[in-house]
């Protein structure tokens, strides 16, 4: 049997079946994750309602405690000076005190039940959150394995010297692809998808207004709908631009940055952006130019989203063997001792800095803005550059 030929078709069938099973398993895990997220949202809403009920009940209990204290004082006074009060007054004092005591007891029982319910909901939320995290981890792991098994790493292997480097590089590529897909999915879901759903609902409303009310009211709503569509179109263009700035391949870094900053300025009406480029621009490999562009883009996004900046200055300086980039804003700033590693997109920026064999320096003061410096060596082995003429 040792001399029998290996049935490669059978091996291919087994391999394809294994990959298909893994893909189906990933889909099943994804469904579990989505169901857990829906349950998480429902329980979170219920928990918020329970917490609100507890707050109201505590306020009511405080009021009943005050009333009950006064009623007991009244009852003690009536009992002590029995001869000075009529039988009706004595009975009323007793009944009021007894009623308040019963209400207070009922409220205390209800408060205890609500607190138990709150604790149970919190435990369920924690369990669901753990399930969601675990499901996401499993999906990523299964994706990494299937992609690694089915991807052709031949071209990557030619660029790397040993198997260990090839493995690490491939995994980083796959992880980056998965993170980018998840980010794009969130952007589309939270942006254009929500906007177009709103457009659909409002279109139905306009039709109803036109039929049941008058044309003028429908025209007013139509004008508002047109503005919503315009905003949605801007958001779609932003998502497309975030995927890949097409001008980068054709025009280079500086023209692309100019276009990008102009679009940001157009979208953020309350903010001003100053851009300056000095020196002779140079062209690099496409992935390197994208990395530099993304560094500036991430810094701008952080200044707007986290720093609430109203003025941003971007300077690009082309020296003989160094590219210096500065992004300065007048935003809220932050304390570098307190900021976490995962804040302000620092992880992604540091990964790009490592890729470029560059340096990054951040100066930030609370309420005084943030300045980020990038120092990128133009003569690095990985920067296969070529000079270009300035038009």
């Amino acid at each position: 049997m040792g001399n029998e030929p290996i049935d490669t078709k059978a091996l291919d069938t087994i391999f394809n079946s294994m990959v298909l099973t893994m893909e189906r398993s990933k889909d099943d895990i994804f469904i579990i994750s989505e169901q857990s997220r829906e349950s998480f949202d429902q329980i979170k809403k219920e928990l918020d309602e329970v917490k609100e009920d507890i707050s109201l009940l505590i306020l009511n209990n405080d009021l009943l405690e005050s009333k009950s204290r006064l009623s007991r004082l009244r009852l003690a006074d009536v009992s002590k000076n029995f001869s000075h009060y009529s039988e009706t007054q004595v009975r009323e004092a007793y009944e009021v005190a007894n009623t308040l005591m019963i209400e207070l007891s009922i409220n205390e029982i209800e408060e205890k039940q609500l607190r138990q319910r709150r604790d149970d909901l919190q435990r369920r939320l924690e369990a669901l959150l753990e399930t969601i995290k675990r499901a996401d981890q499993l999906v990523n792991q299964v994706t990494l394995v299937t992609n690694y098994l089915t991807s052709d790493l031949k071209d990557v292997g030619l660029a790397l010297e040993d198997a260990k480097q090839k493995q690490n590089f491939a995994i980083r590529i796959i992880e980056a692809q998965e993170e980018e897909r998840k980010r794009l999915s969130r952007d589309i879901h939270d942006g254009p998808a929500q906007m177009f759903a709103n457009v659909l609902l409002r279109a139905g409303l306009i039709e109803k207004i036109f039929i049941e009310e008058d044309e003028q009211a429908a025209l007013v709503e139509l004008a508002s709908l047109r503005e919503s569509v315009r905003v949605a179109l801007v958001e779609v263009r932003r998502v497309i631009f975030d995927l890949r700035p097409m001008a980068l391949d054709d025009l280079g870094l500086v023209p692309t940055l100019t276009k990008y900053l102009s679009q940001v300025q157009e979208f953020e009406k309350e903010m001003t952006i100053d851009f300056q480029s000095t020196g002779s621009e140079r062209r690099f490999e496409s992935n390197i130019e994208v990395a530099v562009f993304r560094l500036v883009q991430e810094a701008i996004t952080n200044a707007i989203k986290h720093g609430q900046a109203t003025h941003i200055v971007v300077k690009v300086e082309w020296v003989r063997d160094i590219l210096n980039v500065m992004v300065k804003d007048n935003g809220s700033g932050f304390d570098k001792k307190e900021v976490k590693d995962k804040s302000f997109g620092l992880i992604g920026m540091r990964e790009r800095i490592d890729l470029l064999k560059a340096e990054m320096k951040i100066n930030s003061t609370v309420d005084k803005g943030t300045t980020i410096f990038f120092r990128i060596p133009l003569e690095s082995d990985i920067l296969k550059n070529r000079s270009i003429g300035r038009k």
Side-chain angles (χ1 to χ4, degrees):
M1 294 183 63
N3 296 324
E4 291 180 2
I6 298 175
D7 189 347
T8 55
K9 291 184 178 180
L11 288 177
D12 287 341
T13 300
I14 294 172
F15 178 82
N16 292 334
S17 177
M18 179 181 67
V19 172
L20 180 61
T21 301
M22 294 179 68
E23 287 292 340
R24 287 174 178 172
S25 299
K26 185 177 72 171
D27 293 339
D28 292 339
I29 296 171
F30 180 81
I31 292 173
I32 293 173
S33 176
E34 289 303 304
Q35 291 174 343
S36 298
R37 291 180 194 277
E38 292 177 1
S39 299
F40 183 92
D41 292 339
Q42 293 173 356
I43 294 176
K44 180 66 168 58
K45 181 179 179 180
E46 184 179 351
L47 178 60
D48 291 339
E49 292 174 353
V50 169
K51 287 181 177 179
E52 184 177 352
D53 290 342
I54 291 175
S55 299
L56 294 175
L57 202 57
I58 290 174
L59 291 176
N60 191 31
N61 279 352
D62 291 341
L63 181 61
L64 286 175
E65 282 276 7
S66 179
K67 289 182 178 180
S68 180
R69 192 180 306 110
L70 293 176
S71 69
R72 290 196 302 271
L73 291 174
R74 168 70 173 171
L75 183 60
D77 181 66
V78 169
S79 300
K80 184 177 180 181
N81 302 289
F82 186 83
S83 59
H84 294 87
Y85 295 92
S86 66
E87 181 180 347
T88 300
Q89 290 176 318
V90 172
R91 184 173 62 255
E92 287 178 350
Y94 174 80
E95 289 175 351
V96 169
N98 186 58
T99 300
L100 287 171
M101 184 175 65
I102 292 173
E103 289 181 3
L104 188 60
S105 298
I106 292 173
N107 274 20
E108 289 174 349
I109 294 173
E110 187 175 352
E111 180 182 347
K112 182 178 179 181
Q113 292 174 342
L114 284 174
R115 289 182 183 276
Q116 291 174 344
R117 178 62 177 164
R118 178 201 61 190
D119 295 341
D120 178 64
L121 290 173
Q122 287 178 334
R123 284 191 294 269
R124 290 171 62 188
L125 277 181
E126 292 173 358
L128 282 171
L129 187 60
E130 185 62 32
T131 299
I132 293 170
K133 290 171 60 178
R134 181 58 179 158
D136 288 347
Q137 290 174 354
L138 288 174
V139 168
N140 288 338
Q141 290 169 355
V142 172
T143 301
L144 287 174
V145 172
T146 53
N147 285 350
Y148 188 71
L149 288 173
T150 57
S151 296
D152 183 6
L153 299 177
K154 182 179 180 180
D155 293 337
V156 179
L158 294 175
L160 300 170
E161 296 181 357
D162 55 56
K164 182 64 176 178
Q165 285 180 318
K166 180 175 66 176
Q167 181 185 35
N168 292 338
F169 190 68
I171 291 175
R172 288 185 63 187
I173 290 174
I174 295 169
E175 288 177 338
Q177 289 174 340
E178 285 303 305
E179 287 301 318
E180 187 66 16
R181 289 189 184 109
K182 288 195 290 187
R183 183 196 65 78
L184 177 60
S185 176
R186 294 191 196 101
D187 281 352
I188 294 176
H189 178 271
D190 296 338
Q194 297 286 349
M195 291 179 179
F196 284 121
N198 182 52
V199 167
L200 184 62
L201 290 174
R202 295 185 66 181
L205 176 63
I206 291 173
E207 181 181 7
K208 184 177 180 181
I209 291 174
F210 183 82
I211 295 174
E212 297 181 358
E213 298 184 22
D214 56 63
E215 295 182 7
Q216 189 61 35
L219 288 174
V220 172
E221 283 295 327
L222 187 60
S224 177
L225 179 61
R226 187 182 297 112
E227 176 62 19
S228 296
V229 173
R230 187 193 68 79
V231 173
L233 183 59
V234 171
E235 183 68 13
V236 169
R237 287 173 176 169
R238 182 192 65 78
V239 172
I240 293 173
F241 190 85
D242 284 345
L243 278 175
R244 174 76 180 192
M246 290 179 287
L248 198 57
D249 293 328
D250 299 328
L251 304 178
L253 182 63
V254 171
T256 304
L257 282 176
T258 302
K259 181 179 179 180
Y260 165 68
L261 295 176
S262 176
Q263 289 182 348
V264 173
Q265 179 76 73
E266 181 181 353
F267 191 74
E268 302 288 340
K269 300 294 186 182
E270 304 299 323
M271 185 181 63
T272 57
I273 301 178
D274 296 329
F275 177 58
Q276 179 182 358
S277 176
T278 60
S280 180
E281 181 187 354
R282 302 170 72 173
R283 294 300 303 271
F284 311 107
E285 290 296 317
S286 176
N287 61 326
I288 302 301
E289 290 185 330
V290 170
V292 177
F293 174 81
R294 293 301 188 198
L295 284 172
V296 178
Q297 186 182 40
E298 185 67 39
I300 295 293
T301 301
N302 290 338
I304 298 172
K305 183 177 180 181
H306 300 289
Q308 289 82 45
T310 58
H311 183 226
I312 299 175
V313 177
V314 180
K315 290 185 178 180
V316 177
E317 181 185 23
W318 303 84
V319 191
R320 185 173 62 86
D321 57 352
I322 295 293
L323 171 61
N324 293 319
V325 180
M326 183 195 76
V327 181
K328 181 179 181 180
D329 67 72
N330 67 342
S332 59
F334 59 93
D335 188 343
K336 291 194 292 184
K337 294 180 180 179
E338 296 181 1
V339 70
K340 298 179 179 178
D341 290 339
K342 293 185 179 180
S343 299
F344 302 94
L346 291 181
I347 287 182
M349 295 173 74
R350 284 171 178 158
E351 286 179 348
R352 296 186 196 278
I353 287 293
D354 291 340
L355 173 67
L356 297 171
K357 295 185 178 179
E359 299 176 8
M360 178 175 68
K361 183 179 179 182
I362 301 176
N363 293 328
S364 186
T365 304
V366 176
D367 297 330
K368 293 186 179 180
T370 300
T371 302
I372 303 180
F373 297 94
F374 303 111
R375 184 176 184 274
I376 303 164
L378 299 182
E379 300 302 326
S380 172
D381 292 339
I382 64 171
L383 296 181
K384 299 178 181 178
N385 48 19
R386 56 187 185 277
S387 299
I388 61 171
R390 299 299 296 275
K391 296 182 180 180

